[in-house]
Amino acid sequence: MVKSRKIVGVVGLTWLLLGCTSLQAQSSIKPFSLPSTNGDTIRVNLDGSQELTVLYFTGLECPLAKLYAPRMVALASNYEAQSVRFLGINSNQQDSMAELAAFAEEYKMTFPVGKDFNNVIADELAVKRTPEVLVVDKEFRIRYRGRVDDQYMPGLSRQKASREDLKIAIDELLSGQQVATPSTQPEGCLIGRVKDPTLDASITFTNQISRILQKNCIECHREGELGPFAMEDYEEVVGWADMIVETIDNGRMPPWHADPAHGNFLNQRVMPKKEKDLVRTWVANGAPFGDASELPPKQEFVAGWKLPRSPDAVVPMSDRPITIPGDGTVEYQYFVVDPKFKTDKWVSAAEVVPGNRSIVHHSIVFIRPPDGSAIKGINWLAAYVPGQKNLEYLPTRARHIPAGSKLVFQQHYTPDGSPQSDLTKVGLVFADEKEVTEELLTLIAIDQGFELKPHLPNQEVTASIRNFPDGAKLLSVSPHMHYRGKSFAAEINGYDTNSTLVKVPDYDFNWQHTYQLDTPIPLDSVKTISSEFIFDNSSDNPANPKPGDLVTWGDQTWEEMAVAFFDITVSRVRSEEKSKSVELSRLQDSASLQKQVDPIRQSKIEQFVNDFFKRFDSNQDDLIQRSEIPMVMRLKYSDYDFDGVPGLSRTEVTEQASQSFK
């Protein structure tokens, strides 16, 4: 749904501000009034009725403003009895009064919220971003300005704030002290200020800019997609114009992190310098609209999916949505689903679609074949990951789901400020088995035994893959680390020469790209593919949750991972011949073992497995996740989980028990 807009003048905004409107920070404020979301008028006067007034500038679609909204509500409640007044102000031209009222209701704001039409108040007080707060005393002197705390930054999230700047400032003032830190740098989105477009400009939204956005941005920045705001309509884009330039200039958009000196990739996101210059000039000229007849046709997207056609099967992660709290830490959630496939399926395209993109950081769907099946790679099926495109492969390539398999959804949720629900699903497009000549598999390079020492930058962890299937070809590389991840590199190690596959000098946890090679690389003459992960556990890393911690492998973002996924193809003929050979060997080994079974030993193994699942399988889904076992046992988790699919199956636990009861 496109946000409705109307042009609003100064009528309805009563203001007593005098002087300039430049963005030079003031030391005090003058009385002013604003129209409120409930139809009243908010008046800020020198009547001495409040010890302190907190002016809280917010936006409706800015991710940080949404994260801090519940925190501001809590602070207002905590200080209500101490004569501290909170006032919400919205100065964005793209946010209507009706939308602001809905925002205040959604986040249960108990304090007044007003609309600053034409950003008059924001200009007078030199406020630049949302969220940004000012604390004013009863003489209307500004005693603090800046951020709420240091927990959130664009693209970064600490486990908790290390300094609660706003709370500290209020407490100091209420106790009669000076504010020790009266100013901090706010983080968040630039306020969408009203602009004065240049007349007869040669660069306009309708001509050049709308086409640049279609080419580079609208894939994500449209209703229901990953981007926090849509960029299809001028009324919305003009409010974000300054923010668009900022993210282009600092390299955050379009998101792409591979070093151009190494590798060529089919799915790279790169905006040419000429297009960047056009956007900068357009904004500098006041973001003029142009001639409506020059607008390009709207892009058409498949409703609900990015698949080549409607899916043949849609499998939800559960039979009902789950609820995620508005804040705090949510452990990885796992859902095991039986798609009830009675015959083998070949999947030529798959897409994971979150039910609620605002809280789903990533979702990975694995194939768990029936117990005893041959293991191929890590049984990866599909994933939804920040910034990752669905890769397009040839129709002759497909992933194999054996009959009777189950699907395992791994869900990582990040609360966004208010309780939310989610029901993620995966859509599958089936190939005609007769047309599939290559099987798609995913291999993994992983190190789960590393330790990152406190306060040290540039700590190296390595992992490699060897022993590739005959005739395999490499298609893509996907590195994965958390907030301490600094850089990544992958290298092909041949018998005669080595070559760099990809280098990611500035790894960004929020954009976990798959780097799809423009030409598949045959692996028959390759000894290993090596991966180098560099971590920064120092205080110089602004994303580092705790520089003083010794960090090991773990699911949560304040822990770390060192893993890289490699998509390969193998000839179906060779793959099936090898599977039959493995299955024949397994059956022969099984038959041989049957003759040597010790009934007492077998009974001990079965008792151990049953007791293990009774003790640790808390949700009784017949899979034991890392979070379900005691901390002391988690270091050995990877020894049990030999198939790479999240969760310990009875087969895996039985295998380990067999090694113990000899």
Side-chain angles (χ1 to χ4, degrees):
M1 182 179 70
V2 177
K3 296 170 71 172
S4 60
R5 298 279 179 251
K6 61 179 180 179
I7 299 174
V8 183
V10 187
V11 177
L13 172 65
T14 305
W15 56 282
L16 303 174
L17 299 169
L18 302 174
C20 68
T21 59
S22 66
L23 295 186
Q24 182 176 356
Q26 308 295 310
S27 60
S28 63
I29 71 171
K30 296 179 174 67
F32 64 87
S33 300
L34 291 175
S36 170
T37 55
N38 63 9
D40 296 336
T41 299
I42 302 169
R43 291 182 172 85
V44 180
N45 298 318
L46 278 165
D47 57 9
S49 61
Q50 302 289 332
E51 287 292 327
L52 300 172
T53 298
V54 177
L55 303 180
Y56 159 51
F57 287 80
T58 187
L60 307 190
E61 296 170 305
C62 179
L64 264 65
K66 293 168 71 175
L67 283 168
Y68 277 107
R71 193 158 303 177
M72 296 302 294
V73 172
L75 285 169
S77 176
N78 292 342
Y79 287 105
E80 183 178 11
Q82 300 181 62
S83 192
V84 180
R85 181 191 190 192
F86 280 67
L87 170 62
I89 302 175
N90 180 284
S91 305
N92 286 335
Q93 66 161 308
Q94 70 270 28
D95 297 338
S96 72
M97 178 65 91
E99 291 162 344
L100 180 58
F103 180 84
E105 181 178 356
E106 177 183 355
Y107 287 94
K108 298 179 173 58
M109 292 184 173
T110 54
F111 48 82
V113 180
K115 180 66 182 173
D116 174 24
F117 289 113
N118 295 335
N119 43 268
V120 175
I121 308 299
D123 285 354
E124 177 67 20
L125 300 180
V127 175
K128 298 180 180 180
R129 296 184 183 271
T130 64
E132 187 169 346
V133 293
L134 280 70
V135 180
V136 182
D137 64 18
K138 62 172 58 179
E139 284 80 33
F140 270 29
R141 294 174 297 176
I142 298 173
R143 307 297 296 275
Y144 172 76
R145 67 160 62 229
R147 67 193 183 192
V148 178
D149 57 43
D150 66 352
Q151 182 172 3
Y152 301 112
M153 298 169 62
L156 305 177
S157 173
R158 293 184 172 91
Q159 187 177 358
K160 63 179 181 179
S162 64
R163 193 177 197 282
E164 298 176 305
D165 302 275
L166 175 59
K167 182 180 184 300
I168 292 170
I170 293 174
D171 289 343
E172 289 172 336
L173 290 169
L174 289 177
S175 63
Q177 303 176 52
Q178 293 293 320
V179 178
T181 307
S183 178
T184 58
Q185 181 66 39
E187 300 286 351
C189 306
L190 292 171
I191 287 175
R193 289 180 150 80
V194 174
K195 297 191 173 298
D196 183 18
T198 300
L199 298 177
D200 301 322
S202 60
I203 302 172
T204 65
F205 176 82
T206 59
N207 190 353
Q208 300 94 334
I209 304 305
S210 57
R211 289 167 172 82
I212 292 172
L213 298 181
Q214 284 189 347
K215 176 183 174 184
N216 296 283
C217 310
I218 290 178
E219 172 197 356
C220 294
H221 284 272
R222 55 190 173 91
E223 190 68 28
E225 287 297 330
L226 181 66
F229 56 90
M231 298 175 69
E232 297 171 290
D233 296 295
Y234 175 77
E235 292 85 353
E236 184 77 13
V237 173
V238 69
W240 290 97
D242 293 316
M243 197 69 204
I244 291 170
V245 170
E246 180 177 276
T247 57
I248 288 174
D249 286 348
N250 63 25
R252 283 166 52 199
M253 294 289 152
W256 187 252
H257 298 90
D259 184 343
H262 301 278
N264 296 306
F265 306 99
L266 293 176
N267 59 330
Q268 66 182 9
R269 293 183 175 112
V270 177
M271 182 183 288
K273 181 180 182 301
K274 180 180 179 181
E275 293 180 355
K276 292 180 180 179
D277 289 342
L278 286 171
V279 173
R280 294 185 185 106
T281 302
W282 175 67
V283 175
N285 289 338
F289 176 70
D291 184 346
S293 66
E294 296 178 335
L295 281 169
K298 279 191 173 290
Q299 290 176 300
E300 297 293 331
F301 298 95
V302 178
W305 301 98
K306 296 178 182 177
L307 295 168
R309 59 179 173 82
S310 297
D312 297 303
V314 177
V315 182
M317 71 181 191
S318 177
D319 58 359
R320 63 181 65 88
I322 69 162
T323 300
I324 300 299
D327 55 16
T329 299
V330 180
E331 295 289 341
Y332 274 32
Q333 304 291 303
Y334 293 90
F335 300 88
V336 182
V337 183
D338 184 358
K340 302 187 185 305
F341 293 153
K342 304 301 183 185
T343 59
D344 287 8
K345 301 295 183 184
W346 289 89
V347 178
S348 59
E351 181 184 2
V352 178
V353 176
N356 189 338
R357 295 177 190 270
S358 69
I359 58 171
V360 179
H361 179 270
H362 78 249
S363 171
I364 303 175
V365 182
F366 296 91
I367 304 163
R368 181 171 284 281
D371 285 350
S373 300
I375 297 171
K376 298 181 180 180
I378 61 168
N379 289 323
W380 180 284
L381 178 58
Y384 167 83
V385 181
Q388 194 173 105
K389 290 183 176 181
N390 269 4
L391 301 185
E392 296 182 7
Y393 290 126
L394 298 175
T396 54
R397 294 171 177 163
R399 294 188 186 272
H400 181 217
I401 303 180
S405 294
K406 295 181 180 180
L407 303 184
V408 180
F409 285 75
Q410 180 196 78
Q411 300 291 118
H412 182 188
Y413 291 106
T414 53
D416 77 341
S418 64
Q420 302 281 339
S421 62
D422 172 62
L423 184 58
T424 294
K425 60 187 177 182
V426 62
L428 308 176
V429 173
F430 297 143
D432 184 342
E433 183 176 357
K434 297 176 183 177
E435 297 178 1
V436 177
T437 59
E438 294 176 286
E439 182 175 358
L440 274 169
L441 301 174
T442 300
L443 306 180
I444 187 172
I446 185 170
D447 184 342
Q448 295 179 301
F450 60 84
E451 290 185 347
L452 303 181
K453 296 179 181 179
H455 303 297
L456 293 182
N458 302 318
Q459 300 187 59
E460 180 180 320
V461 176
T462 60
S464 61
I465 305 175
R466 62 186 72 245
N467 301 324
F468 305 101
D470 292 341
K473 297 177 183 178
L474 178 65
L475 303 181
S476 65
V477 185
S478 306
H480 178 73
M481 297 177 279
H482 291 167
Y483 284 137
R484 294 173 177 86
K486 182 177 182 179
S487 66
F488 171 82
E491 185 176 79
I492 288 276
N493 309 121
Y495 289 93
D496 300 316
T497 60
N498 299 333
S499 61
T500 299
L501 275 173
V502 61
K503 277 193 175 182
V504 182
D506 295 302
Y507 176 82
D508 187 341
F509 173 67
N510 298 283
W511 295 100
Q512 297 175 36
H513 302 289
T514 290
Y515 299 97
Q516 186 179 9
L517 306 174
D518 65 343
T519 303
I521 298 176
L523 298 176
D524 282 342
S525 60
V526 172
K527 287 195 301 183
T528 62
I529 300 177
S530 59
S531 298
E532 176 192 75
F533 308 84
I534 303 297
F535 295 92
D536 183 353
N537 196 22
S538 74
S539 57
D540 291 333
N541 174 5
N544 195 343
K546 285 187 177 181
D549 282 1
L550 176 70
V551 181
T552 57
W553 175 277
D555 291 339
Q556 293 299 331
T557 53
W558 60 85
E559 300 167 314
E560 269 304 336
M561 290 187 177
V563 57
F565 304 96
F566 298 85
D567 278 356
I568 67 168
T569 63
V570 294
S571 165
R572 269 194 68 192
V573 174
R574 293 181 180 180
S575 175
E576 290 175 358
E577 286 177 350
K578 186 171 183 178
S579 293
K580 290 177 181 177
S581 174
V582 169
E583 180 67 10
L584 179 60
S585 175
R586 186 185 68 81
L587 291 173
Q588 289 172 341
D589 290 345
S590 177
S592 175
L593 286 171
Q594 287 294 326
K595 299 176 183 178
Q596 307 171 33
V597 166
D598 179 344
I600 297 176
R601 174 176 175 269
Q602 190 65 25
S603 176
K604 289 181 179 179
I605 292 171
E606 291 175 0
Q607 185 64 45
F608 174 86
V609 174
N610 290 334
D611 289 347
F612 195 87
F613 272 80
K614 183 178 180 180
R615 182 179 179 187
F616 299 120
D617 187 16
S618 57
N619 61 1
Q620 298 182 346
D621 65 350
D622 224 29
L623 286 175
I624 296 175
Q625 307 301 337
R626 180 187 295 270
S627 60
E628 293 180 307
I629 60 177
M631 188 66 67
V632 70
M633 296 176 61
R634 295 184 186 182
L635 293 176
K636 288 292 185 180
Y637 185 88
S638 57
D639 294 342
Y640 281 59
D641 190 17
F642 57 79
D643 69 358
V645 178
L648 303 179
S649 67
R650 287 184 175 271
T651 298
E652 290 169 317
V653 177
T654 300
E655 176 66 23
Q656 287 298 318
S658 299
Q659 301 300 317
S660 300
F661 296 101
K662 292 185 177 180

